Amino acid sequence: MTDTASNLVPVFDGHNDTLLSLERRSNTPKERSFFEEAGHDHIDLPRARKGGFAGGLFAMFTPSVRAKPKEGKEVDFKSPEHFKGVSQQEALDYTLKLLDIAEDLEAEGNGEVKICRSTVAIKEAMAAEQLAMMLHVEGAECIDKDFEALELLYNRGLRSIGPVWSRETIFGYGVPMEFEHSPDIGPGLTDVGKELVRQCNHRKIQLDVSHLNEKGFWDLAKITDKPIVASHSNVFKICPMSRNLTDKQLDAIAESKGLVGINFAVFFLRPDGQLNSDMPLDVILRHADYLINKLGEDGVALGSDYDGCLVANDIKDVAGLPNLIEAFRKADFGEDLIAKIAHKNWISVLERAGI
């Protein structure tokens, strides 16, 4: 590692869609290797080294539309076709495909990539300057009502799960990405969704409330005996997007000694909800300040959503993370607090969850 890289603040991030990005880019004009620097998308190993990205929760998400994007065409999440449900078998097959990609990265990485099944393993990987990957399922369509797939995936390394993405599952109801609309959309967790919470608590799999609607949030909060985590969500009071968290939800997360990872998606950050990457980093700092006031210094982290969203030009990819760290410094956050936000708080909340 270079002297410059050794001075970077390590970042352990709560959410990215890099496994999905690598799969969707394969056999297309934008196919890329994780081990070579690309000029598009957000995360690869060379850019991770440049930005101090030490690892994070790598999501396995099954999109409604699984056809490869044509050159120059990206996913349009305003189209209803991208919110259609998927069957359990389709989702399990796709999840296993993404899990295979993760395992291939570990195998091909010459010791530079490590799938971590515990916080101890994350610490060891970071100390060894390995990229620490913890596996997360975003939207539990791949899980059957008898939870056999949950056991299968747990045995292969799954340690975090979101019961829903922004569509309905057998477990509950996701929030659409609606501006100036509260997350109070639809009914709460189903009976099998409540059992999923218990099953995850028993196995010490982290539950993620990002994408879950408000009634589902409160159902989960009543059942879980673990910290409540929103891996990639922001403040509703600042940006009134249905995907963001209300003050009451933040109070419940604080009471559980949970955590919120700040999402870099510009339309979850900007007060005007616009899909516009011309956004100053001060907007992220405003969300961070608000979350610190509500959750305390131990309850705020990063949940970038890299490779799954449009981010601000000043942190255009993972190599741009030092720009955000410097913005925190200029705002007098202090080195101890910056380290907590950058990586320590994620590791601590995973420890509190027994992982």
Side-chain angles (χ1 to χ4, degrees):
M1 183 175 281
T2 66
D3 289 341
T4 300
S6 65
N7 292 327
L8 294 170
V9 175
V11 171
F12 186 89
D13 180 72
H15 190 88
N16 69 66
D17 284 300
T18 300
L19 298 175
L20 176 65
S21 169
L22 291 169
E23 198 288 322
R24 289 179 66 79
R25 295 299 193 197
S26 66
N27 299 314
T28 75
K30 285 192 172 182
E31 182 170 7
R32 63 190 181 94
S33 166
F34 186 74
F35 300 102
E36 296 176 6
E37 184 166 347
H40 57 278
D41 299 333
H42 293 146
I43 299 178
D44 52 47
L45 191 60
R47 285 183 287 177
R49 297 302 192 205
K50 288 181 179 179
F53 181 80
L57 289 159
F58 280 64
M60 298 179 290
F61 167 66
T62 303
S64 298
V65 177
R66 291 177 291 285
K68 305 283 186 183
K70 295 180 181 178
E71 188 172 9
K73 296 273 289 184
E74 299 296 338
V75 173
D76 175 14
F77 280 119
K78 293 182 179 179
S79 171
E81 67 178 323
H82 291 290
F83 295 88
K84 292 180 179 178
V86 296
S87 74
Q88 190 264 331
Q89 190 59 56
E90 287 176 313
L92 180 58
D93 290 345
Y94 202 85
T95 299
L96 291 173
K97 181 187 294 188
L98 298 182
L99 202 158
D100 286 343
I101 292 173
E103 291 177 343
D104 288 346
L105 295 180
E106 183 179 48
E108 295 166 12
N110 295 318
E112 292 195 90
V113 177
K114 182 69 175 176
I115 295 175
C116 299
R117 293 164 171 80
S118 67
T119 49
V120 170
I122 292 171
K123 291 176 183 179
E124 290 175 348
M126 289 176 64
E129 298 185 356
Q130 296 173 303
L131 187 77
M133 300 175 60
M134 183 163 276
L135 297 177
H136 167 80
V137 159
E138 183 176 29
E141 286 93 342
C142 62
I143 307 301
D144 58 287
K145 61 183 177 60
D146 296 319
F147 304 105
E148 293 177 0
L150 185 65
E151 186 69 13
L152 166 69
L153 293 169
Y154 177 83
N155 289 336
R156 287 188 63 179
L158 177 70
R159 291 298 181 269
S160 176
I161 191 165
V164 297
W165 182 68
S166 290
R167 61 192 175 203
E168 181 180 346
T169 73
I170 63 170
F171 304 109
Y173 301 84
V175 286
M177 301 176 197
E178 299 273 355
F179 185 63
E180 295 187 328
H181 199 304
S182 86
D184 188 11
I185 300 173
L189 293 180
T190 63
D191 288 343
V192 72
K194 293 173 183 177
E195 183 58 26
L196 175 64
V197 175
R198 299 183 188 99
Q199 292 284 334
C200 288
N201 279 181
H202 173 69
R203 289 176 176 82
K204 297 180 181 177
I205 297 172
Q206 175 182 262
L207 288 153
D208 179 12
V209 299
S210 289
H211 288 283
L212 189 61
N213 70 351
E214 190 168 3
K215 288 185 174 67
F217 175 98
W218 293 116
D219 285 340
L220 184 148
K222 289 176 185 175
I223 299 167
T224 189
D225 59 5
K226 306 296 183 185
I228 300 172
V229 166
S231 69
H232 57 306
S233 295
N234 296 329
V235 177
F236 184 84
K237 188 68 74 72
I238 297 173
C239 174
M241 179 74 71
S242 57
R243 269 277 283 106
N244 287 338
L245 297 158
T246 67
D247 281 357
K248 287 185 178 180
Q249 288 175 306
L250 294 175
D251 289 341
I253 292 169
E255 186 175 348
S256 77
K257 297 184 179 179
L259 176 146
V260 174
I262 298 171
N263 192 323
F264 293 177
V266 292
F267 67 150
F268 297 152
L269 286 164
R270 296 173 60 109
D272 61 8
Q274 292 298 303
L275 191 64
N276 183 348
S277 59
D278 185 16
M279 184 198 81
L281 296 185
D282 287 351
V283 178
I284 294 179
L285 301 185
R286 186 179 170 195
H287 283 265
D289 269 326
Y290 196 99
L291 290 169
I292 290 166
N293 287 332
K294 295 293 288 184
L295 305 173
E297 293 189 356
D298 297 332
V300 185
L302 303 178
S304 66
D305 212 354
Y306 271 138
D307 281 323
C309 71
L310 181 68
V311 303
N313 293 331
D314 288 342
I315 46 168
K316 94 178 212 191
D317 59 25
V318 75
L321 285 169
N323 296 338
L324 178 59
I325 298 299
E326 188 58 29
F328 281 130
R329 287 196 178 106
K330 289 180 178 178
D332 295 324
F333 274 57
E335 294 302 316
D336 289 344
L337 177 55
I338 289 171
K340 284 185 174 186
I341 294 170
H343 64 273
K344 288 184 177 180
N345 284 347
W346 262 120
I347 294 171
S348 294
V349 80
L350 290 167
E351 285 178 330
R352 292 196 293 276
I355 296 171

